[in-house]
């Protein structure tokens, strides 16, 4: 079973920066993709960014230019560097991973609240003050 452990997050003033980390362990698929999702109170879960097994990256428009998704060389660690944070970025952020069944599997999942993704981290809170 694939296990995802998250770290990072916290509270920051608007315009500030935070970095989230996620480490995958256990049964890691030969080809897999990873992504970040977030859920604010009263709102549905939404995709943030994804990275495919071959390194292809996708962002939702709300974070493009402000957030950067990356992996370490082993591809077992996933990062989300968040700059110029806004109060509307306040949410619980979740790391997610899935076997990459086709090339844009995780990027496609960004638009569908992540229901096609099987493996999730526990979540970490990001709070941005106005």
């Amino acid at each position: 079973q694939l296990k995802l452990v998250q770290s990072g997050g916290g509270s920051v003033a608007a315009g500030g920066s935070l970095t989230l980390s996620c480490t995958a362990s256990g049964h890691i698929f030969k080809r897999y993709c990873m992504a970040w999702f977030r859920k604010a109170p009263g709102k549905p879960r939404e995709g943030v960014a994804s990275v495919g097994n071959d390194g292809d990256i996708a962002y939702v428009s709300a974070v493009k230019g402000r957030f950067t998704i990356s992996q370490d060389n082993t591809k077992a660690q996933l990062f989300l560097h968040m700059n110029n944070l806004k109060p509307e970025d306040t949410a619980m952020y979740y790391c997610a991973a899935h076997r990459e069944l086709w090339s844009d599997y995780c990027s496609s999942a960004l638009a569908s609240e992540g229901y096609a993704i099987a493996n999730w981290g526990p979540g970490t809170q990001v709070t941005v003050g106005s």
Side-chain angles (χ1 to χ4, degrees):
Q1 184 177 357
L2 181 66
K3 181 179 179 182
L4 300 173
V5 176
Q6 296 182 225
S7 61
S11 298
V12 66
S17 299
L18 286 172
T19 295
L20 307 182
S21 301
C22 173
T23 302
S25 63
H27 180 72
I28 299 178
F29 308 107
K30 184 176 180 179
R31 291 188 62 85
Y32 66 100
C33 55
M34 300 185 77
W36 290 98
F37 288 78
R38 65 186 181 185
K39 188 178 186 314
K43 294 184 178 180
R45 185 172 61 197
E46 63 173 351
V48 176
S50 67
V51 55
N53 189 80
D54 295 329
D56 46 302
I57 287 174
Y59 298 97
V60 297
S61 58
V63 307
K64 196 172 293 184
R66 300 188 298 122
F67 291 12
T68 302
I69 189 171
S70 64
Q71 288 179 301
D72 71 341
N73 289 339
T74 68
K75 296 196 293 184
Q77 278 204 308
L78 181 72
F79 304 98
L80 185 68
H81 307 281
M82 304 180 291
N83 295 318
N84 191 21
L85 282 159
K86 304 176 181 181
E88 52 264 42
D89 295 318
T90 295
M92 187 73 79
Y93 283 71
Y94 296 90
C95 172
H98 198 91
R99 181 182 173 189
E100 192 175 60
L101 300 176
W102 52 80
S103 62
D104 63 347
Y105 191 91
C106 280
S107 60
S108 298
L110 294 180
S112 62
E113 301 181 26
Y115 286 115
I117 300 214
N119 304 284
W120 293 88
T124 186
Q125 180 67 37
V126 170
T127 302
V128 184
S130 57

